[in-house]
Amino acid sequence: MRTVLLAFDGSDSSKRALQYVIDFAREYNATLELHLINVQHEPMVYGEYMTGDIIEQVGNSIRAEASKILEWPAAQLAAAGITYQTHTALGNIPEQIGLAAKKLGCDTVVMGTRGLGSFTGMLMGSVATRVIHEVPVPVLLVK
């Protein structure tokens, strides 16, 4: 595990995944190239009254929110002395995580699981399960 993509959505499980990476780096004195990503769904456009400017403004607002979500984990990584880069993306979450892992040359993806339970997970599908199928590298899931 050298080049790591840490998918962070602000949930408790993603906070535990962040702590896992920090603890791993400390315990094994590992030098990691860490990429921190937050993926947001693209805005849904309904109706005929949305101009290109409005759609762009909404997209910029969503990207700003994604960047804001990454402020806390970035501060935790800096305090732990781990260098990192932050990334945001819009679109299908598992697909965007897979594309980022490929583009950034990551050898591992680390992310939390929300633990929806088997019934809810069966109905909604699990983002983590879809990431496992999208990404060609090992995925470490933290509960």
Side-chain angles (χ1 to χ4, degrees):
M1 194 162 82
R2 297 273 186 250
T3 306
V4 177
L5 179 65
L6 175 59
F8 189 87
D9 65 3
S11 66
D12 287 343
S13 61
S14 69
K15 290 175 183 176
R16 287 188 294 275
L18 170 69
Q19 190 60 52
Y20 180 89
V21 170
I22 291 170
D23 292 345
F24 177 89
R26 280 187 187 143
E27 185 174 338
Y28 296 102
N29 199 22
T31 302
L32 302 176
E33 181 181 336
L34 186 68
H35 296 277
L36 185 60
I37 190 168
N38 177 268
V39 181
Q40 296 288 318
H41 291 285
E42 286 185 294
M44 297 294 240
V45 178
Y46 297 102
E48 302 171 6
Y49 304 105
M50 296 292 278
T51 65
D53 289 340
I54 293 172
I55 293 169
E56 184 178 343
Q57 289 173 357
V58 171
N60 290 340
S61 176
I62 293 170
R63 280 189 181 86
E65 180 62 26
S67 293
K68 187 175 181 177
I69 289 170
L70 294 179
E71 289 175 1
W72 182 81
Q76 299 301 306
L77 291 167
I82 299 172
T83 58
Y84 62 91
Q85 293 178 30
T86 60
H87 308 274
T88 62
L90 295 179
N92 177 283
I93 295 170
E95 180 181 315
Q96 292 301 315
I97 290 172
L99 290 170
K102 289 175 194 171
K103 177 183 171 188
L104 299 168
C106 297
D107 59 30
T108 308
V109 173
V110 179
M111 62 185 293
T113 61
R114 290 209 176 178
L116 295 174
S118 59
F119 182 70
T120 306
M122 180 179 64
L123 290 178
M124 296 177 60
S126 164
V127 171
T129 299
R130 293 191 321 253
V131 168
I132 290 168
H133 293 287
E134 290 281 341
V135 178
V137 297
V139 178
L140 186 127
L141 301 176
V142 179
K143 285 179 122 184

